[in-house]
Amino acid sequence: MKSQALLTVRKLEAWYGRSHILQGIDLEIHAGEIVCIIGRNGAGKTTTMRSIMGLMDKARGSVHFDGHSLLEMAPHRRYHLGLAYVFEERRIVPGLTVLENIRLGIIASRHRERERHIIDEIAETFPRLQERLSQMAATMSGGEQQMLAIARAMAADPKLIMLDEPSEGIMPVLVDEMFELFTKLKKAGKTLLLVEQNVELALSIADRAYIMDQGSMVHHAPAAELLKDQAIQERYCSV
Amino acid sequence: MELSFSLLVQQLFIGLALGSIYVLIGVGLSLIFGLLTVVNFAHGAFYMVGAYVAVYIFEKTGNFWACLVLVPLAVGALGLATERWLVRPLYGRGLDYPLLLTFGLAYVLVDSVRMIFGVQGEHFSTPELLQGTVDMGFGPFPIYRIFLVGLCATLLLALWLFIEKTRLGLIVRAGSRDPLVLKVLGIDVDRVWLLIFGIGTALAGLAGLLAAPLRGVNPEMGGPVLIEAFVITVIGGMGSLVGAIVAGLLVGVVVAMTTLFQPELAELSIFALMALVLIVRPNGLFGREGLMS
Ligand SMILES: Nc1ncnc2c1ncn2[C@@H]1O[C@H](COP(=O)(O)OP(=O)(O)O)[C@@H](O)[C@H]1O
Ligand SMILES: [Mg+2]
């Protein structure tokens, strides 16, 4: 009934060393959707994203993205297929300027000859960064660094952007700004996978949501439906 | 011998020339450690191989300038092969695996050279064009040593431009802080590490060539140099390029000055310097914030 999914995850298992974290999860994302994963701390949300990006010690099952099988592929090649990941801890590179951090996102991509143009576009989308391009990135506030991490991940025009708790520890004004950006991105045809503790806000912009617990997907429904379901929210999302 | 101002200045210059060779060795070791976290115990052996490749090429061509170009290329290529097939499989297993591997590789290289060239050592003369002295206002000064300082300064400038001004240099700077983030931004970190190992070993090989006219060539010449190079990276701060440069020059000058007053203490002086620096700054002069600090 639906067109083929952009990302299809089947029976995905993953390990940190010898700890078996993901217990065989299924996940599907269609082009143009905002999909959200919610669940308590330690449920395995970050591990899910890291597995899709190829950063786990060991993973089994299948991950298909835009017609390619990812499981055996190095992370940098997944990026070139159009898969971007914003770490929970942001990972702004200290010792580099804001501009240099953004350039890292373009430098190895097929867009690198258009670097100047892309930077101008990003500056337009992120006015807060525009004023600070030559500033050392590490001296910015947490919220600004998060914006930078998102800008850097978008620089090479990815098809799917995975964002791990982007609103964590950020001033409310900036959170609103960030979520407005997400809706804009969706309108522009981007696809987002979002992990959020700010459940209501996330569900309000998402199309669908997965609920995760102890390394498994325990429930999955349209976001609007979950938004009304207080019982489920309390059972799986209260911290 | 009267201790005059001009003699001191002369000795200071000799120290800087010696320091230039130290800088090349120290920078290579520091690059490799700072980015790959590989403690390269074969660094002295690459230096020694550089000197022998120079002997070989000079025998064939009689041209010092050909050595200057071909030695770094040859030793760099050996470095590339080492990283690709020996060091790379050991990433992610901690510091000790690559350390032991390069330790063993040093023995293999030394013994191979002994087998090919013999144990007696070789002579390598200063190229004709660079023989003799010039008067720089404070007495005669060997041209070859001026050449060393100039060449080293030029190479460092080129390295600085590469790291600060090129795309690849940006990747190198970022990689010294956070290699993981490079992977998710589409950068093939393995290829960057390969290149860095190649550059580091090429610099060691070049240093071996440049030291050959001053110190002679023998299979064991890499041993003391390895220790000196480690002392330099410790003084400068492990993994810091600026630290390696400053410490290399400092060690050169301290050795030259001690040689002037108490030649028998010259060897000891660099360890005294290291102890002194570590007491005052336990992380070395430039700590380790990042590659360029
Ligand atoms: N580096 C690691 N090594 C071992 N176990 C880890 C590591 N990181 C996370 N875990 C474990 O994996 C589980 C899932 O973690 P994570 O995916 O970070 O959860 P979430 O993002 O949902 O809070 C937790 O039990 C956590 O303790
Ligand atoms: Mg998490």
Side-chain angles (χ1 to χ4, degrees), chain A residues 203-221:
Chain A
L203 289 177
S204 71
I205 65 160
D207 297 293
R208 290 182 304 117
Y210 289 81
I211 296 179
M212 203 168 184
D213 193 36
Q214 298 186 11
S216 300
M217 293 297 178
V218 291
H219 191 65
H220 140 235

Side-chain angles (χ1 to χ4, degrees), chain B residues 142-154:
Chain B
I143 295 176
Y144 184 66
R145 301 202 182 231
I146 300 173
F147 166 75
L148 284 186
V149 175
L151 181 65
C152 174
T154 311

Side-chain angles (χ1 to χ4, degrees), chain B residues 37-57:
Chain B
T37 42
V38 168
V39 183
N40 182 17
F41 264 82
H43 210 65
F46 285 116
Y47 165 90
M48 179 274 299
V49 169
Y52 271 96
V53 173
V55 167
Y56 177 79
I57 294 175

Side-chain angles (χ1 to χ4, degrees), chain A residues 14-22 37-50 56-57 88 164-165 195 197 212-215:
Chain A
W15 289 258
Y16 281 113
R18 314 188 71 162
S19 347
H20 190 181
I21 308 291
L22 294 189
I37 304 177
I38 51 190
R40 286 197 196 89
N41 262 329
K45 306 180 295 296
T46 297
T47 308
T48 302
M49 289 188 161
R50 289 179 66 103
M56 296 301 292
D57 297 332
E88 191 169 357
D164 199 347
E165 307 210 15
V195 162
Q197 291 295 348
M212 203 168 184
D213 193 36
Q214 298 186 11

